[in-house]
Amino acid sequence: MKDLIHDIRDLILSARQAVVQAVDLIQVLTNFEIGRRIVVHEQQGAERAEYGKALLKELSAELTDEFGRGFSRSNLEYMRKFYLTYQDRTVQISQVPPAQFLSAKKSQMPSGKLPESRKSQTPSGKSDSPFALGWSQYVFLIAIDNADERRFYEIEAATNSWSLQELKRQFSSGLYERLALSRDKDGVKQLAAEGQLVTRPEDLLKEPYVLEFLGLDEKARYSESELESAIIDKLEHFLLELGKGFLFEARQKRFTFDEEHFFVDLVFFNRLLRCYVLIDLKIGKLSHGDLGQMQMYVNYFDRFVKLEDEAPTVGIVLCKKKQDALVEITLPKDANIHTREYQLYLPDKELLRRKLAEWGDEVAE
């Protein structure tokens, strides 16, 4: 009986979620088509500002009288801009009947299973549907001028099932720029085309990590244990900041040898790389002793904890201020250990963009 109840419950929840997804898709496709017809009516896409304003005002009044809310002049302008931003998907839309869009969305939700977009790293743009997000998320995305950055956030929001609030947070934290600054030029191009793919330890890294959600004052004194406790209290947010595939295992993980106890601040497992990820928190100046300690932690996990079919352990020293020269001279070149800075406030996106531009010949274009 319990199995039957569980199966029926999963079926109902899956059906409801499929209906919500179908409604979202219909709304997005409808708004795209409304935007297209507005643009075509404006003399086949040739913009004339005064005529466009008058057209939208009159159209808004007529549609609102008949259909009610949702057709204000500003909303119609969003639809128009939505079409202009994504008009390269017109052919893709015209080739697939609406019924096929709906069946494609429903097929991703078999009973008791997660959507494919949450189980794989396949970019959303490779699905049958040209749009994988809700209307409110696209309203936010069309305000992003950089096409590569906009495409990146669209892929990541679809792949990770981000809410609008989480999408805004990731954008405000400069996720695209922070990932790009940790990659080579080919890696930056891949971000724009495919989103964040995690195939090697370096793909996990960001520069810097943004922990504004902890609620700690940047200027106040706090200890490493207080920082650790704040992270545990906001673990869900911290996992989102870490990125894809992270599973939390333990805090202050103890291991012992030669009758001496050692403690790893935070232990995670990344299911995409199939490896342990150890994080040590440092609020003071990074020292060679911190790096040597992490090297010991990594060696211990590689020799006594990880399974034979798992990848080598990754160590990350998360600190207020890293010292690249110290890291380079302390660690061997093949060490699977990385240092990254954290900050307790949202970064200046313009500063990040300038850094990215200086870093490599406008690779975002």
Side-chain angles (χ1 to χ4, degrees):
M1 184 64 175
K2 289 184 178 180
D3 290 342
L4 177 61
I5 293 174
H6 184 269
D7 287 345
I8 293 176
R9 178 179 178 274
D10 284 348
L11 178 63
I12 293 171
L13 292 175
S14 297
R16 288 181 176 178
Q17 186 168 353
V19 169
V20 171
Q21 290 175 324
V23 170
D24 286 345
L25 178 59
I26 290 174
Q27 181 185 19
V28 170
L29 290 172
T30 301
N31 291 347
F32 181 88
E33 182 60 20
I34 290 173
R36 186 187 71 82
R37 296 189 184 197
I38 291 173
V39 171
V40 170
H41 187 78
E42 293 174 334
Q43 298 202 350
Q44 286 69 48
E47 294 188 41
R48 286 166 35 184
E50 293 305 317
Y51 176 74
K53 290 180 181 178
L55 171 66
L56 293 180
K57 182 178 180 180
E58 181 179 352
L59 188 59
S60 172
E62 292 286 341
L63 293 176
T64 300
D65 283 345
E66 184 171 354
F67 299 104
R69 298 172 58 185
F71 297 97
S72 65
R73 190 170 75 177
S74 61
N75 280 346
L76 291 175
E77 181 58 43
Y78 285 139
M79 297 175 197
R80 180 180 178 277
K81 187 174 181 180
F82 179 53
Y83 168 74
L84 291 173
T85 302
Y86 293 100
Q87 59 185 307
D88 60 324
R89 301 185 191 181
T90 304
V91 174
Q92 187 180 357
I93 292 173
S94 64
Q95 289 177 343
V96 185
Q100 187 170 335
F101 284 129
L102 300 185
S103 63
K105 297 296 280 188
K106 291 179 182 178
S107 67
Q108 293 179 4
M109 288 299 299
S111 176
K113 296 183 179 180
L114 291 172
E116 288 301 317
S117 62
R118 294 181 65 181
K119 293 193 296 182
S120 68
Q121 299 185 69
T122 303
S124 62
K126 293 184 180 180
S127 67
D128 290 335
S129 172
F131 301 113
L133 302 176
W135 174 241
S136 60
Q137 291 165 306
Y138 279 110
V139 170
F140 178 78
L141 287 173
I142 59 178
I144 301 176
D145 294 330
N146 185 299
D148 288 343
E149 184 180 4
R150 182 172 60 246
R151 177 61 178 151
F152 166 80
Y153 283 112
E154 181 185 9
I155 293 172
E156 291 300 302
T159 303
N160 298 297
S161 300
W162 285 347
S163 64
L164 175 61
Q165 182 180 2
E166 182 60 26
L167 171 59
K168 289 180 177 179
R169 190 265 163 188
Q170 295 287 359
F171 174 80
S172 297
S173 72
L175 176 63
Y176 175 73
E177 292 88 354
R178 290 187 291 130
L179 286 173
L181 287 169
S182 295
R183 283 156 172 75
D184 57 21
K185 293 184 180 181
D186 289 338
V188 174
K189 293 177 181 177
Q190 186 184 52
L191 282 177
E194 302 179 80
Q196 182 188 7
L197 299 182
V198 179
T199 60
R200 55 179 187 159
E202 289 76 11
D203 294 334
L204 301 174
L205 304 176
K206 299 170 184 173
E207 187 68 278
Y209 284 83
V210 177
L211 309 180
E212 95 292 346
F213 51 83
L214 298 181
L216 294 174
D217 189 339
E218 182 75 14
K219 297 180 180 180
R221 293 178 63 87
Y222 57 90
S223 65
E224 289 171 359
S225 62
E226 289 172 329
L227 175 60
E228 179 187 316
S229 294
I231 288 174
I232 295 300
D233 288 342
K234 298 286 187 178
L235 186 58
E236 182 180 358
H237 294 81
F238 188 65
L239 287 169
L240 285 170
E241 175 61 16
L242 287 179
K244 296 180 178 178
F246 278 93
L247 304 173
F248 176 67
E249 178 169 305
R251 66 182 293 192
Q252 290 298 307
K253 179 76 171 182
R254 189 181 80 171
F255 62 92
T256 303
F257 61 87
D258 287 343
E259 299 182 351
E260 187 171 356
H261 301 308
F262 299 90
F263 298 87
V264 185
D265 287 344
L266 299 169
V267 178
F268 297 86
F269 189 83
N270 189 279
R271 62 184 181 85
L272 300 178
L273 294 181
R274 288 190 53 76
C275 71
Y276 281 100
V277 180
L278 312 180
I279 295 182
D280 208 17
L281 303 172
K282 298 297 176 185
I283 62 172
K285 185 178 180 180
L286 183 70
S287 70
H288 67 277
D290 299 328
L291 299 172
Q293 184 180 54
M294 178 56 77
Q295 181 74 74
M296 180 186 64
Y297 293 165
V298 167
N299 289 344
Y300 181 87
F301 267 73
D302 279 344
R303 295 171 189 177
F304 303 110
V305 180
K306 86 174 188 68
L307 303 178
E308 289 185 6
D309 63 338
E310 292 174 345
T313 303
V314 177
I316 300 176
V317 180
L318 204 56
C319 53
K320 287 282 288 181
K321 185 68 175 177
K322 68 173 186 174
Q323 297 177 318
D324 291 329
L326 179 65
V327 174
E328 184 176 351
I329 199 170
T330 302
L331 296 175
K333 291 183 178 180
D334 58 348
N336 215 7
I337 295 172
H338 309 274
T339 60
R340 282 296 184 273
E341 294 181 1
Y342 72 88
Q343 60 186 48
L344 300 174
Y345 55 90
L346 290 174
D348 183 334
K349 279 186 67 68
E350 289 305 316
L351 177 60
L352 285 174
R353 286 170 176 165
R354 287 197 297 271
K355 286 183 178 180
L356 186 57
E358 294 169 2
W359 171 85
D361 298 328
E362 298 291 347
V363 292
E365 293 184 357

